[in-house]
Amino acid sequence: MSQYLDLIMFAGLIGAILLGFPVSFSIAGVAIIFGYLGWALGVMDITLLGATGQRVFGLLSNTVLIAIPLFVLMGAVLEKSRIAEELLDTMGRLFGQLRGGLGISVVLVGALLAASTGIVGATVVAMGMIALPTMLRAGYDPRVASGIVCTAGTLGQIIPPSTLLIILADVMSNAYQQAQYEEGKFAVEALSVGQFFAAAIMPGLVLVLLYLIYILIRGAMRPKDMPPASLDTPRPERAEVLAAVVPPVLLIVAVLGAILGGVATPTEAASVGAIGALLMAGRRISRRPKIILVGAAALVLLGVLAGAFPVRLQRSDLGFLSQAAGGFYVILTIVGVIGIAYALRAAFREKVIHAAVTSTLTMTAMIFATILAAGMFSLVFIGLGGEERVAEILTGMPGGPTGALLFCMALVFVLGFFLDFVEISVIVLPLIAPTLILMGHDPIWLGVLLAINLQTSFLTPPFGFSLFYLRGAAPKEISTGQIYAGVMPFIGLQILGMALVFFLPQVSTWLPRALF
């Protein structure tokens, strides 16, 4: 029995989670119990747990992970200020009179919200409360409507900026460095979040395209499932469409453009995104939106000019042009701060800040508690010989590197039925990724494949999180069975998307290679 303690430990973790115990406590509790058993049976050196403190310190000093709460805050501010609701309403009226038009609008809005928030739960709940009743009133089949809303909401997992991609970038970078050490390389290369963001853009757009093609084909073949909206629904004016679409697009360009252009790190870009989201929210709910708009424009102009023409104000031999530029920058800064102040005042008055910060703290605490507990779990699992067992299983897999990869993808897909993406990312992936990289798989391509696979876990019954989110937000006439049936075609499209990236690696690798 003692020689199989690592496998029993992994099975025990899944069992504890399925019994409904809190995830982080389940991970830490299983690690402590099996660490003691391993020591008592003489198959593990208990001093190995002394490295827990170093792992905690490493996590708390990891600058990459600081971007997580900032991106979560950005998404929470946009969601609590009802910007998503305005965008859904406008796009629904724009495309609604086409056959399948409401479904198209939901997918497009899901993609925009994914690129500007990256929070799956908020997107699914918002669209479940706003778009789903509209689709049902228009005569949409409840299964089709539920599947479209669920799937569009999960785009936040693959389209940057995504919490999943930030965690994956950290895990895959560590795995890549470990693989290089095992190959005898000591001048190791690291992978950045920006590379994974760049790699995930095209696959994310491919998934959006697959969803749209499916909706159009189904709308043509079975028009009763997705009829057009009533002709009485007024189409939005061009100015209304621009007012709803342009601010999120500008925020996306500011955040992703800064990261992919090498202007800012993900953490710095996330702080810019949080400020941008606050300004967008303030413009919508403030009584003086023009002041906030001018402040936002001043900050954008300041960023562009200061990046192109930097001025070192501490120097004593500044010329007239430098002094004038410095003074102009100070004026722009003051105008921008005034705009931020008005946005904060409006957000506090409407209680947007309180709700957004509470949501951010809750989600951030959950993610980091899981990562901390997973560090202890990994130490015990390695101490019990689990890492060597995993390497032996993968290297002995028929089909060589391709067979090992397919086995791991199938394993992650099955685990996605029961576990959240955070648990899979920080527990399972560190065990399989180094071996797969040593077998010759490109780490960035591998990370994108795993990201699409983990995104699918949000849709797979019985524990897909998007299914739970929609069940809580959907009207009572929508049954759980209809939600499950509605996502099945889209799970097939997810698998098709994975296959495209698998057989055409350039879809995910050409952009990071071009930029980095």
Side-chain angles (χ1 to χ4, degrees):
M1 174 182 170
S2 60
Q3 59 182 330
Y4 299 109
L5 208 56
D6 52 343
L7 298 179
I8 299 172
M9 177 185 180
F10 194 79
L13 172 63
I14 295 178
I17 292 174
L18 291 180
L19 287 173
F21 293 106
V23 172
S24 55
F25 295 116
S26 297
I27 298 171
V30 169
I32 292 171
I33 292 171
F34 279 86
Y36 175 78
L37 285 176
W39 171 71
L41 295 173
V43 295
M44 175 182 166
D45 183 4
I46 199 68
T47 59
L48 187 64
L49 288 177
T52 302
Q54 296 176 351
R55 292 206 168 197
V56 172
F57 180 78
L59 173 67
L60 297 179
S61 59
N62 190 331
T63 55
V64 173
L65 297 181
I66 296 175
I68 292 177
L70 291 172
F71 278 128
V72 172
L73 177 62
M74 181 177 79
V77 169
L78 292 179
E79 188 252 330
K80 302 300 180 184
S81 60
R82 298 185 177 275
I83 290 176
E85 180 178 336
E86 179 182 336
L87 186 59
L88 272 169
D89 177 69
T90 304
M91 297 295 283
R93 288 189 286 122
L94 181 64
F95 293 102
Q97 294 179 6
L98 300 174
R99 183 175 293 134
L102 286 175
I104 292 172
S105 67
V106 168
V107 171
L108 293 177
V109 169
L112 280 173
L113 293 178
S116 55
T117 67
I119 302 178
V120 170
T123 305
V124 173
V125 170
M127 291 196 293
M129 295 177 66
I130 304 162
L132 192 54
T134 303
M135 297 168 82
L136 295 177
R137 285 194 299 268
Y140 271 58
D141 185 290
R143 294 169 298 177
V144 175
S146 301
I148 292 173
V149 169
C150 258
T151 308
T154 61
L155 287 170
Q157 291 298 91
I158 187 64
I159 295 179
S162 160
T163 302
L164 167 62
L165 291 175
I166 296 172
I167 297 174
L168 261 182
D170 186 60
V171 170
M172 295 303 295
S173 182
N174 292 334
Y176 185 43
Q177 293 178 25
Q178 181 181 337
Q180 291 176 87
Y181 281 129
E182 293 184 17
E183 289 177 333
K185 299 178 182 177
F186 297 100
V188 297
E189 300 178 16
L191 302 175
S192 68
V193 176
Q195 287 173 288
F196 281 89
F197 278 8
I201 289 176
M202 287 304 298
L205 295 178
V206 167
L207 287 177
V208 172
L209 183 61
L210 289 175
Y211 300 159
L212 294 177
I213 292 173
Y214 169 76
I215 291 171
L216 289 172
I217 292 175
R218 179 148 186 173
M221 295 179 64
R222 304 184 65 173
K224 291 184 178 180
D225 286 351
M226 292 185 283
S230 171
L231 294 176
D232 297 333
T233 305
R235 290 176 64 86
E237 299 292 334
R238 181 179 300 178
E240 190 178 353
V241 175
L242 292 176
V245 175
V246 169
V249 170
L250 289 178
L251 185 63
I252 294 166
V253 171
V255 174
L256 294 184
I259 296 173
L260 301 181
V263 178
T265 66
T267 303
E268 293 165 346
S271 62
V272 171
I275 293 295
L278 177 64
L279 290 170
M280 285 174 57
R283 183 191 68 85
R284 186 184 184 280
I285 62 180
S286 175
R287 296 167 187 168
R288 296 184 178 179
K290 291 183 180 179
I291 296 178
I292 297 174
L293 191 61
V294 171
L299 290 176
V300 171
L301 183 60
L302 174 65
V304 173
L305 292 178
F309 308 103
V311 175
R312 298 182 180 179
L313 297 179
Q314 69 270 25
R315 292 177 55 181
S316 58
D317 56 341
L318 290 174
F320 173 76
L321 290 178
S322 296
Q323 293 179 11
F328 185 57
Y329 291 173
V330 170
I331 293 172
L332 289 177
T333 303
I334 294 173
V335 174
V337 169
I338 292 173
I340 293 174
Y342 271 91
L344 278 172
R345 179 177 151 188
F348 273 112
R349 186 179 64 244
E350 299 295 330
K351 299 184 179 179
V352 170
I353 292 292
H354 180 270
V357 169
T358 301
S359 177
T360 302
L361 287 173
T362 302
M363 186 170 293
T364 304
M366 179 198 73
I367 291 173
F368 279 84
T370 303
I371 297 176
L372 284 169
M376 182 183 295
F377 183 93
S378 298
L379 282 175
V380 176
F381 191 78
I382 292 170
L384 294 175
E387 192 174 37
E388 291 82 2
R389 187 185 298 277
V390 170
E392 289 174 6
I393 292 173
L394 294 182
T395 53
M397 192 67 58
T402 302
L405 175 59
L406 292 177
F407 170 78
C408 291
M409 293 297 289
L411 174 65
V412 170
F413 183 79
V414 173
L415 289 176
F417 282 74
F418 311 103
L419 302 180
D420 184 24
F421 77 94
V422 179
E423 294 102 72
I424 298 175
S425 298
V426 298
I427 296 175
V428 180
L429 298 190
L431 300 175
I432 63 176
T435 303
L436 291 175
I437 294 172
L438 281 170
M439 297 176 81
H441 295 297
D442 183 283
I444 294 179
W445 172 71
L446 177 62
V448 173
L449 275 177
L450 290 168
I452 300 174
N453 203 342
L454 290 170
Q455 179 196 356
T456 309
S457 70
F458 272 75
L459 298 174
T460 47
F463 297 112
F465 274 65
S466 288
L467 308 177
F468 289 149
Y469 294 140
L470 186 61
R471 175 64 278 168
K476 293 182 179 179
E477 60 264 27
I478 298 286
S479 68
T480 303
Q482 288 174 324
I483 295 175
Y484 285 2
V487 298
M488 290 303 172
F490 293 97
I491 293 175
L493 292 175
Q494 289 280 139
I495 296 173
L496 177 59
M498 276 192 284
L500 288 174
V501 175
F502 180 85
F503 289 109
L504 298 171
Q506 298 83 0
V507 173
S508 62
T509 57
W510 76 269
L511 185 57
R513 286 175 181 171
L515 294 176
F516 297 95

